[in-house]
Amino acid sequence: MSPQPVTELTIRRPDDWHLHLRDGGMLKGVIGDTSRHFARAIIMPNLVPPVVTTADAIAYRERIMAVLPKGDRFEPLMTLYLTEGTNPDDVEAGHASGLIKAVKLYPAGATTNSHGGVRNFENAMPVLERMAKIGLPLCVHGEVTTPEVDIFDREAVFIETVLEPLRARLPELKVTMEHVTTKDGIDYIKASKSNLAGSITTHHLIINRNAILVGGIRPHYYCLPVAKRELHRLALRAAAISGDGRFFLGTDSAPHVDPLKECACGCAGIYTSINTMSCLAHVFEQENALDKLEAFTSLNGPAWYGLPVNAETITLRKQTEAVTFPEKIETEAGTVTVFDPMFPLHWAVS
């Protein structure tokens, strides 16, 4: 007899290891979609102006906690934006205080609000050397930005020309390749013996580049790193469901108001916080790997960042009727379109 299909799954409360909350009215409008399901999240520092110092991070954390919905238990894990002038002593002090959990590397021009990022890595070496010494992870947006490199090749070229030389020079530096999008990235992490892991987004498990381009330009599927060919999506799925502790969820949920998405030069970013757990349950069920969902969302990330697993749990239940999510959410900053996975979702978080 074939086993009965799983219709209910209880897992440790998940964490999001890559999240954009923005600031002001947008922050107030989106924070609840994360804090409802997730216990913690690594908060991206690419505000305007960016979160560069420990004092900046303290102030940003206070703004997040001030708008957290009443009764929600959520811990923002703060990061610093790496610049060529970042002070190693300030980074070490922030880490020693327990506030700073990682430093984020944006190659200049790679994505939203990254113009202040690193251009000359030699200038950033003092702080990277200090991070290696104290065990503070470096989270990397793994793309080169040189104009002669095709946008679909940026990740592979970054590994070859930036990441591998950096890790050869500082092998003790702990590196998280955030939002891995290629088989190249997956294979590179799997081949590494130590100090390298990768986060994978919800949307990159579901869409390939056809979602953006087939039938017309669809801006709400445009993100950076851009979605790639189908073979890369399948490699990401295989990594996510593998149980390999080096792969974990980082949604890269990135809200933009619709006018900034639906224009001649639209912003990169997909808003997935509200329906990520339902989407992931669907994906893992498709792959006959619901037993691996907890590792991907709730166990591997804490192990990598040296944090305890959450004691609380959430329960996912599969229902006959599709779960309904809003097509758009309204914030004080404006309207944000919610990620549409292009298939009905039947797993609900209870």
PDB file of all heavy atoms in Angstrom, residues 77-100:
ATOM      1  N   LEU A  77      17.872  40.641  13.182  1.00  0.00           N
ATOM      2  CA  LEU A  77      19.304  40.382  13.283  1.00  0.00           C
ATOM      3  C   LEU A  77      20.003  41.398  12.390  1.00  0.00           C
ATOM      4  O   LEU A  77      19.872  41.357  11.168  1.00  0.00           O
ATOM      5  CB  LEU A  77      19.620  38.949  12.852  1.00  0.00           C
ATOM      6  CG  LEU A  77      18.839  37.855  13.600  1.00  0.00           C
ATOM      7  CD1 LEU A  77      19.127  36.480  13.002  1.00  0.00           C
ATOM      8  CD2 LEU A  77      19.166  37.872  15.093  1.00  0.00           C
ATOM      9  N   MET A  78      20.748  42.298  12.997  1.00  0.00           N
ATOM     10  CA  MET A  78      21.225  43.479  12.276  1.00  0.00           C
ATOM     11  C   MET A  78      22.556  43.217  11.563  1.00  0.00           C
ATOM     12  O   MET A  78      23.399  42.444  12.019  1.00  0.00           O
ATOM     13  CB  MET A  78      21.375  44.653  13.250  1.00  0.00           C
ATOM     14  CG  MET A  78      20.122  44.946  14.070  1.00  0.00           C
ATOM     15  SD  MET A  78      18.593  45.098  13.075  1.00  0.00           S
ATOM     16  CE  MET A  78      18.958  46.588  12.141  1.00  0.00           C
ATOM     17  N   THR A  79      22.703  43.913  10.432  1.00  0.00           N
ATOM     18  CA  THR A  79      23.908  43.820   9.615  1.00  0.00           C
ATOM     19  C   THR A  79      24.420  45.224   9.316  1.00  0.00           C
ATOM     20  O   THR A  79      23.688  46.208   9.447  1.00  0.00           O
ATOM     21  CB  THR A  79      23.647  43.091   8.291  1.00  0.00           C
ATOM     22  OG1 THR A  79      22.737  43.870   7.499  1.00  0.00           O
ATOM     23  CG2 THR A  79      23.047  41.710   8.524  1.00  0.00           C
ATOM     24  N   LEU A  80      25.670  45.278   8.893  1.00  0.00           N
ATOM     25  CA  LEU A  80      26.263  46.541   8.452  1.00  0.00           C
ATOM     26  C   LEU A  80      26.566  46.484   6.964  1.00  0.00           C
ATOM     27  O   LEU A  80      26.895  45.425   6.427  1.00  0.00           O
ATOM     28  CB  LEU A  80      27.557  46.833   9.222  1.00  0.00           C
ATOM     29  CG  LEU A  80      27.431  47.036  10.730  1.00  0.00           C
ATOM     30  CD1 LEU A  80      28.808  47.279  11.339  1.00  0.00           C
ATOM     31  CD2 LEU A  80      26.480  48.177  11.059  1.00  0.00           C
ATOM     32  N   TYR A  81      26.474  47.619   6.330  1.00  0.00           N
ATOM     33  CA  TYR A  81      26.746  47.792   4.896  1.00  0.00           C
ATOM     34  C   TYR A  81      28.236  48.059   4.740  1.00  0.00           C
ATOM     35  O   TYR A  81      28.762  49.049   5.239  1.00  0.00           O
ATOM     36  CB  TYR A  81      25.900  48.972   4.433  1.00  0.00           C
ATOM     37  CG  TYR A  81      25.892  49.341   2.981  1.00  0.00           C
ATOM     38  CD1 TYR A  81      24.732  49.184   2.227  1.00  0.00           C
ATOM     39  CD2 TYR A  81      26.989  49.938   2.365  1.00  0.00           C
ATOM     40  CE1 TYR A  81      24.678  49.600   0.899  1.00  0.00           C
ATOM     41  CE2 TYR A  81      26.944  50.345   1.047  1.00  0.00           C
ATOM     42  CZ  TYR A  81      25.779  50.175   0.319  1.00  0.00           C
ATOM     43  OH  TYR A  81      25.718  50.594  -0.991  1.00  0.00           O
ATOM     44  N   LEU A  82      28.932  47.176   4.049  1.00  0.00           N
ATOM     45  CA  LEU A  82      30.374  47.302   3.890  1.00  0.00           C
ATOM     46  C   LEU A  82      30.710  48.384   2.879  1.00  0.00           C
ATOM     47  O   LEU A  82      30.223  48.380   1.752  1.00  0.00           O
ATOM     48  CB  LEU A  82      30.969  45.971   3.427  1.00  0.00           C
ATOM     49  CG  LEU A  82      32.495  45.931   3.240  1.00  0.00           C
ATOM     50  CD1 LEU A  82      33.207  46.132   4.569  1.00  0.00           C
ATOM     51  CD2 LEU A  82      32.911  44.605   2.598  1.00  0.00           C
ATOM     52  N   THR A  83      31.552  49.316   3.294  1.00  0.00           N
ATOM     53  CA  THR A  83      32.097  50.319   2.392  1.00  0.00           C
ATOM     54  C   THR A  83      33.619  50.240   2.449  1.00  0.00           C
ATOM     55  O   THR A  83      34.186  49.554   3.305  1.00  0.00           O
ATOM     56  CB  THR A  83      31.661  51.742   2.778  1.00  0.00           C
ATOM     57  OG1 THR A  83      32.361  52.153   3.966  1.00  0.00           O
ATOM     58  CG2 THR A  83      30.155  51.810   3.021  1.00  0.00           C
ATOM     59  N   GLU A  84      34.257  50.965   1.571  1.00  0.00           N
ATOM     60  CA  GLU A  84      35.720  50.976   1.576  1.00  0.00           C
ATOM     61  C   GLU A  84      36.263  51.761   2.774  1.00  0.00           C
ATOM     62  O   GLU A  84      37.456  51.703   3.062  1.00  0.00           O
ATOM     63  CB  GLU A  84      36.241  51.535   0.259  1.00  0.00           C
ATOM     64  CG  GLU A  84      35.911  50.629  -0.917  1.00  0.00           C
ATOM     65  CD  GLU A  84      36.365  51.184  -2.258  1.00  0.00           C
ATOM     66  OE1 GLU A  84      37.303  52.001  -2.282  1.00  0.00           O
ATOM     67  OE2 GLU A  84      35.779  50.785  -3.289  1.00  0.00           O
ATOM     68  N   GLY A  85      35.381  52.459   3.483  1.00  0.00           N
ATOM     69  CA  GLY A  85      35.800  53.200   4.664  1.00  0.00           C
ATOM     70  C   GLY A  85      35.277  52.638   5.965  1.00  0.00           C
ATOM     71  O   GLY A  85      35.381  53.294   7.016  1.00  0.00           O
ATOM     72  N   THR A  86      34.687  51.450   5.937  1.00  0.00           N
ATOM     73  CA  THR A  86      34.152  50.841   7.158  1.00  0.00           C
ATOM     74  C   THR A  86      35.257  50.686   8.203  1.00  0.00           C
ATOM     75  O   THR A  86      36.356  50.213   7.903  1.00  0.00           O
ATOM     76  CB  THR A  86      33.519  49.487   6.847  1.00  0.00           C
ATOM     77  OG1 THR A  86      32.381  49.680   5.994  1.00  0.00           O
ATOM     78  CG2 THR A  86      33.053  48.794   8.119  1.00  0.00           C
ATOM     79  N   ASN A  87      34.947  51.059   9.440  1.00  0.00           N
ATOM     80  CA  ASN A  87      35.910  51.029  10.542  1.00  0.00           C
ATOM     81  C   ASN A  87      35.945  49.643  11.184  1.00  0.00           C
ATOM     82  O   ASN A  87      34.950  49.202  11.764  1.00  0.00           O
ATOM     83  CB  ASN A  87      35.511  52.079  11.588  1.00  0.00           C
ATOM     84  CG  ASN A  87      36.513  52.207  12.705  1.00  0.00           C
ATOM     85  OD1 ASN A  87      37.183  51.249  13.082  1.00  0.00           O
ATOM     86  ND2 ASN A  87      36.618  53.401  13.262  1.00  0.00           N
ATOM     87  N   PRO A  88      37.068  48.930  11.107  1.00  0.00           N
ATOM     88  CA  PRO A  88      37.136  47.584  11.706  1.00  0.00           C
ATOM     89  C   PRO A  88      36.833  47.573  13.201  1.00  0.00           C
ATOM     90  O   PRO A  88      36.220  46.632  13.700  1.00  0.00           O
ATOM     91  CB  PRO A  88      38.580  47.149  11.426  1.00  0.00           C
ATOM     92  CG  PRO A  88      39.008  47.954  10.238  1.00  0.00           C
ATOM     93  CD  PRO A  88      38.312  49.265  10.389  1.00  0.00           C
ATOM     94  N   ASP A  89      37.256  48.625  13.937  1.00  0.00           N
ATOM     95  CA  ASP A  89      37.003  48.665  15.379  1.00  0.00           C
ATOM     96  C   ASP A  89      35.513  48.781  15.669  1.00  0.00           C
ATOM     97  O   ASP A  89      34.991  48.162  16.607  1.00  0.00           O
ATOM     98  CB  ASP A  89      37.752  49.844  16.016  1.00  0.00           C
ATOM     99  CG  ASP A  89      39.262  49.667  15.985  1.00  0.00           C
ATOM    100  OD1 ASP A  89      39.720  48.508  15.900  1.00  0.00           O
ATOM    101  OD2 ASP A  89      39.970  50.688  16.044  1.00  0.00           O
ATOM    102  N   ASP A  90      34.809  49.568  14.874  1.00  0.00           N
ATOM    103  CA  ASP A  90      33.359  49.702  15.061  1.00  0.00           C
ATOM    104  C   ASP A  90      32.653  48.386  14.760  1.00  0.00           C
ATOM    105  O   ASP A  90      31.734  47.981  15.490  1.00  0.00           O
ATOM    106  CB  ASP A  90      32.811  50.803  14.151  1.00  0.00           C
ATOM    107  CG  ASP A  90      31.312  50.998  14.311  1.00  0.00           C
ATOM    108  OD1 ASP A  90      30.880  51.397  15.407  1.00  0.00           O
ATOM    109  OD2 ASP A  90      30.572  50.705  13.348  1.00  0.00           O
ATOM    110  N   VAL A  91      33.083  47.702  13.713  1.00  0.00           N
ATOM    111  CA  VAL A  91      32.502  46.401  13.375  1.00  0.00           C
ATOM    112  C   VAL A  91      32.730  45.405  14.504  1.00  0.00           C
ATOM    113  O   VAL A  91      31.809  44.686  14.918  1.00  0.00           O
ATOM    114  CB  VAL A  91      33.103  45.866  12.055  1.00  0.00           C
ATOM    115  CG1 VAL A  91      32.688  44.420  11.821  1.00  0.00           C
ATOM    116  CG2 VAL A  91      32.664  46.743  10.886  1.00  0.00           C
ATOM    117  N   GLU A  92      33.943  45.374  15.029  1.00  0.00           N
ATOM    118  CA  GLU A  92      34.240  44.431  16.109  1.00  0.00           C
ATOM    119  C   GLU A  92      33.439  44.756  17.368  1.00  0.00           C
ATOM    120  O   GLU A  92      32.921  43.859  18.042  1.00  0.00           O
ATOM    121  CB  GLU A  92      35.733  44.428  16.424  1.00  0.00           C
ATOM    122  CG  GLU A  92      36.111  43.420  17.501  1.00  0.00           C
ATOM    123  CD  GLU A  92      37.595  43.185  17.635  1.00  0.00           C
ATOM    124  OE1 GLU A  92      38.385  43.845  16.916  1.00  0.00           O
ATOM    125  OE2 GLU A  92      37.974  42.317  18.453  1.00  0.00           O
ATOM    126  N   ALA A  93      33.294  46.035  17.678  1.00  0.00           N
ATOM    127  CA  ALA A  93      32.518  46.430  18.851  1.00  0.00           C
ATOM    128  C   ALA A  93      31.050  46.055  18.680  1.00  0.00           C
ATOM    129  O   ALA A  93      30.402  45.566  19.623  1.00  0.00           O
ATOM    130  CB  ALA A  93      32.663  47.933  19.088  1.00  0.00           C
ATOM    131  N   GLY A  94      30.508  46.268  17.481  1.00  0.00           N
ATOM    132  CA  GLY A  94      29.116  45.897  17.228  1.00  0.00           C
ATOM    133  C   GLY A  94      28.895  44.409  17.344  1.00  0.00           C
ATOM    134  O   GLY A  94      27.867  43.955  17.881  1.00  0.00           O
ATOM    135  N   HIS A  95      29.845  43.643  16.855  1.00  0.00           N
ATOM    136  CA  HIS A  95      29.758  42.187  16.961  1.00  0.00           C
ATOM    137  C   HIS A  95      29.870  41.740  18.411  1.00  0.00           C
ATOM    138  O   HIS A  95      29.100  40.887  18.878  1.00  0.00           O
ATOM    139  CB  HIS A  95      30.867  41.556  16.120  1.00  0.00           C
ATOM    140  CG  HIS A  95      30.965  40.072  16.233  1.00  0.00           C
ATOM    141  ND1 HIS A  95      29.919  39.226  15.943  1.00  0.00           N
ATOM    142  CD2 HIS A  95      31.998  39.271  16.624  1.00  0.00           C
ATOM    143  CE1 HIS A  95      30.288  37.968  16.126  1.00  0.00           C
ATOM    144  NE2 HIS A  95      31.545  37.968  16.554  1.00  0.00           N
ATOM    145  N   ALA A  96      30.812  42.325  19.159  1.00  0.00           N
ATOM    146  CA  ALA A  96      31.010  41.951  20.559  1.00  0.00           C
ATOM    147  C   ALA A  96      29.778  42.270  21.400  1.00  0.00           C
ATOM    148  O   ALA A  96      29.482  41.569  22.377  1.00  0.00           O
ATOM    149  CB  ALA A  96      32.234  42.671  21.121  1.00  0.00           C
ATOM    150  N   SER A  97      29.039  43.304  21.028  1.00  0.00           N
ATOM    151  CA  SER A  97      27.833  43.683  21.776  1.00  0.00           C
ATOM    152  C   SER A  97      26.688  42.704  21.572  1.00  0.00           C
ATOM    153  O   SER A  97      25.694  42.736  22.307  1.00  0.00           O
ATOM    154  CB  SER A  97      27.382  45.080  21.359  1.00  0.00           C
ATOM    155  OG  SER A  97      26.768  45.054  20.068  1.00  0.00           O
ATOM    156  N   GLY A  98      26.810  41.868  20.531  1.00  0.00           N
ATOM    157  CA  GLY A  98      25.735  40.935  20.203  1.00  0.00           C
ATOM    158  C   GLY A  98      24.758  41.480  19.184  1.00  0.00           C
ATOM    159  O   GLY A  98      23.882  40.748  18.710  1.00  0.00           O
ATOM    160  N   LEU A  99      24.896  42.743  18.804  1.00  0.00           N
ATOM    161  CA  LEU A  99      23.941  43.351  17.880  1.00  0.00           C
ATOM    162  C   LEU A  99      24.209  42.958  16.431  1.00  0.00           C
ATOM    163  O   LEU A  99      23.292  42.589  15.696  1.00  0.00           O
ATOM    164  CB  LEU A  99      23.991  44.877  18.009  1.00  0.00           C
ATOM    165  CG  LEU A  99      23.115  45.642  17.021  1.00  0.00           C
ATOM    166  CD1 LEU A  99      21.644  45.495  17.396  1.00  0.00           C
ATOM    167  CD2 LEU A  99      23.512  47.117  16.977  1.00  0.00           C
ATOM    168  N   ILE A 100      25.451  43.048  15.996  1.00  0.00           N
ATOM    169  CA  ILE A 100      25.787  42.855  14.589  1.00  0.00           C
ATOM    170  C   ILE A 100      26.064  41.371  14.324  1.00  0.00           C
ATOM    171  O   ILE A 100      26.989  40.790  14.900  1.00  0.00           O
ATOM    172  CB  ILE A 100      27.002  43.711  14.189  1.00  0.00           C
ATOM    173  CG1 ILE A 100      26.728  45.190  14.470  1.00  0.00           C
ATOM    174  CG2 ILE A 100      27.348  43.487  12.720  1.00  0.00           C
ATOM    175  CD1 ILE A 100      25.493  45.743  13.795  1.00  0.00           C
TER     176      ILE A 100
END
